[in-house]
Amino acid sequence: MSTAARRTRLARELADRGLDGLFVTTLVNVRYLTGFTGSNGALLVPAEGDAVFLTDGRYRDQADAELPDLEHVITRDLLGGMAERTHPGTYGIESHTLSVDAHARLVELMAASSLRSAGRVVESLREVKDDAEVAALRSACDISTRALEQVLAGRLVGRTERQVARELENTMLDLGAEAIAFDTILASGPNTAIPHHSPTDRVLATGDLLKADFGARVDGYHADCTRTVVLGRADDWQREVHAAVRESQAAGLELLRDGVAVAASDTAARASLEAAGWLEAFTTGLGHGVGLEIHEDPFVSGTHAGKLTSRTVLTMEPGIYVPGRGGVRIEDTVLVTAGAPEVLTTMTKDLLEIG
């Protein structure tokens, strides 16, 4: 789907909501609607008529190259520039990201109009991916898993968490990633009990659990994958915990289907952990959407009131974390379909014993 088609969808949604237009000030939403990859920009999308893109002089040439189908306004006053191109009416704002000061200025600039929160209207459109988005996500996931497989085939014991994390990131870049999706979580031994551990100079040792939460970024789209392995032979406790997490993930994955309640997956995954006696050790969220942001709508929880839609991409990542001892997480990036969900991070989830 072209960016113009995305803007058309948004304009229809605005008209349905009784809005004359939307001030798009969230940069990732500007990118989704225009293709602009710079660091300063805004977009005025009217319910009727053509959208207008605004940025400052640093991005004049970039805007010409990336947005040939849009009118460009070059100004350092993005809010003022948008306000000047409106007529009296009712306009939506992205109140979840717009600052208090920016809102106050818009109220002043739009004295003849009214402003209303449009909620997460663009984010809701972003939940369902088009063919180009799915292709970028597939590529990012493929690069990610191939990179980890290469790293695990090399020497690990005797190296530090930080060294292995950097090798994993560099391997993703060597395989074609434009960037890493987020700061790599590489944890060993008791550090695996910390859900979002930052790599340290701890030296990997035989008998350690090793947890890698990582991803590549391709064309702006993020992969998210976690695998937990053992350096050497796994003991009974490590096998038990890994099996419990894998069974929980399978239960949650089964319900990532078109038309199924988002909360159903959360309920199933937690019920599996509870049956295994490990629910209290699961202290994080179960999953989230992934795309132009590493964490985006929808977020998988027992309180989510909506249903899944085909071509939504999200993660499934149960875990068990026992402070002082260790932890296991298994995470996949998953494409929701009308049938069985398609796992995009295709690396094995068996408990690998490395070395």
Side-chain angles (χ1 to χ4, degrees):
M1 182 186 299
S2 68
T3 54
R6 293 172 183 173
R7 295 193 298 273
T8 298
R9 288 176 63 207
L10 175 59
R12 287 197 296 262
E13 182 67 26
L14 298 177
D16 290 344
R17 296 181 180 210
L19 294 171
D20 293 294
L22 176 67
F23 294 101
V24 183
T25 51
T26 306
L27 195 57
V28 67
N29 289 341
V30 173
R31 176 170 183 167
Y32 176 75
L33 294 167
T34 67
F36 178 68
T37 61
S39 64
N40 186 42
L43 185 71
L44 174 63
V45 181
E48 295 184 6
D50 296 328
V52 178
F53 172 76
L54 302 94
T55 189
D56 65 72
R58 295 172 297 167
Y59 297 108
R60 184 190 302 271
D61 293 341
Q62 183 174 339
D64 286 342
E66 293 182 340
L67 290 69
D69 61 335
L70 277 174
E71 176 188 353
H72 306 157
V73 175
I74 305 301
T75 176
R76 296 201 67 83
D77 182 8
L78 304 186
L79 295 179
M82 286 190 290
E84 289 173 0
R85 285 159 179 79
T86 64
H87 56 77
T90 302
Y91 290 85
I93 58 171
E94 296 183 307
S95 56
H96 56 295
T97 58
L98 190 70
S99 72
V100 172
D101 287 349
H103 178 262
R105 180 146 192 272
L106 270 179
V107 169
E108 180 181 347
L109 291 167
M110 302 285 289
S113 298
S114 60
L115 298 176
R116 199 169 79 202
S117 173
R120 302 174 67 85
V121 59
V122 181
E123 284 85 351
S124 68
L125 297 178
R126 285 169 43 203
E127 287 189 27
V128 178
K129 271 53 177 181
D130 61 32
D131 289 345
E133 292 178 293
V134 172
L137 286 160
R138 286 188 196 280
S139 179
C141 289
D142 176 65
I143 288 171
S144 302
T145 53
R146 284 194 290 133
L148 182 61
E149 288 169 345
Q150 288 188 25
V151 170
L152 294 182
R155 183 177 68 88
L156 295 170
V157 172
R159 302 176 67 196
T160 68
E161 293 174 345
R162 189 172 283 117
Q163 288 171 334
V164 176
R166 294 299 85 79
E167 180 187 0
L168 178 54
E169 292 173 351
N170 288 334
T171 303
M172 288 188 284
L173 295 172
D174 289 343
L175 290 173
E178 67 182 8
I180 59 171
F182 53 93
D183 290 339
T184 298
I185 298 167
L186 198 295
S188 63
N191 290 339
T192 56
I194 304 170
H196 276 201
H197 173 72
S198 295
T200 68
D201 288 327
R202 183 185 186 277
V203 176
L204 279 57
T206 299
D208 279 350
L209 285 166
L210 178 67
K211 179 182 70 186
D213 186 342
F214 63 103
R217 195 181 79 201
V218 172
D219 294 335
Y221 286 81
H222 300 71
D224 199 355
C225 180
T226 306
R227 292 293 185 267
T228 308
V229 304
V230 176
L231 303 181
R233 295 297 299 273
D235 62 29
D236 291 343
W237 181 83
Q238 291 168 334
R239 292 181 184 280
E240 176 189 346
V241 171
H242 190 277
V245 172
R246 185 166 181 179
E247 289 171 10
S248 172
Q249 202 219 26
L253 276 173
E254 175 62 24
L255 294 173
L256 294 183
R257 296 171 182 259
D258 182 53
V260 176
V262 176
S265 180
D266 186 85
T267 299
R270 291 179 187 276
S272 176
L273 286 174
E274 184 173 28
W278 287 106
L279 181 58
E280 290 186 1
F282 177 36
T283 56
T284 65
L286 184 63
H288 53 84
V290 63
L292 283 173
E293 294 180 287
I294 189 60
H295 297 108
E296 62 181 46
D297 297 340
F299 289 84
V300 182
S301 75
T303 59
H304 195 296
K307 293 185 177 181
L308 292 166
T309 303
S310 185
R311 302 185 72 83
T312 300
V313 177
L314 65 168
T315 67
M316 176 58 52
E317 49 181 300
I320 291 172
Y321 311 101
V322 181
R325 189 166 190 183
V328 169
R329 179 163 65 248
I330 300 173
E331 176 185 19
D332 284 306
T333 299
V334 183
L335 174 66
V336 176
T337 73
E342 180 184 351
V343 175
L344 302 182
T345 41
T346 56
M347 181 178 172
T348 183
K349 288 177 274 192
D350 292 342
L351 178 56
L352 299 180
E353 297 173 310
I354 306 296

